[in-house]
Amino acid sequence: MAAGAGKDRRKGGLIMGARKPELAEPVVVDQFWANRRHDAIITELSTYKGHNLINVRKHAMSKDGRLVPTAKGVAIKVTRLPDLAKAINKALDKARELGLLQGEGDE
């Protein structure tokens, strides 16, 4: 454990159970093809420098057939996930209202 890690500075003692759970490896939640070039949008949960994140990112197909992440995407703390879901649901409703989408599963 690093010096000072897990200590309560006010009391000088250890905080038992105060750490958030961390993911050892990213967990892919969903993915779908973004276009005919085989770019994909991948949604995953991960931990980076002690912060749990939701990452929605475009991945491009490499020459050897692997999906590799691009700079195009967003990563935010998981605690903001309800706000992101609310914003996406509002965008979905607005797109339907404007006639951009007719119903479930429309592209």
Side-chain angles (χ1 to χ4, degrees), residues 91-106:
L92 186 59
D93 290 342
K94 184 55 85 173
R96 286 191 178 125
E97 178 186 319
L98 296 171
L100 303 174
L101 294 172
Q102 276 64 49
E104 295 298 316
D106 288 352

Side-chain angles (χ1 to χ4, degrees), residues 19-27 44-55 75-80:
R19 291 186 59 96
K20 296 179 284 188
E22 294 185 3
L23 300 171
E25 296 290 327
V27 175
E44 66 182 16
L45 297 168
S46 63
T47 302
Y48 181 73
K49 293 186 178 182
H51 298 282
N52 291 320
L53 304 172
I54 176 78
N55 189 359
I76 61 172
K77 289 185 177 183
V78 170
T79 55
R80 301 307 307 259

Side-chain angles (χ1 to χ4, degrees), residues 48-69:
Y48 181 73
K49 293 186 178 182
H51 298 282
N52 291 320
L53 304 172
I54 176 78
N55 189 359
V56 181
R57 186 151 311 276
K58 183 177 182 181
H59 286 62
M61 187 68 68
S62 69
K63 290 181 181 182
D64 62 351
R66 295 181 309 117
L67 286 171
V68 293

Side-chain angles (χ1 to χ4, degrees), residues 56 74 81-95:
V56 181
V74 61
L81 187 54
D83 296 325
L84 178 62
K86 183 178 174 183
I88 289 180
N89 284 327
K90 280 183 172 182
L92 186 59
D93 290 342
K94 184 55 85 173

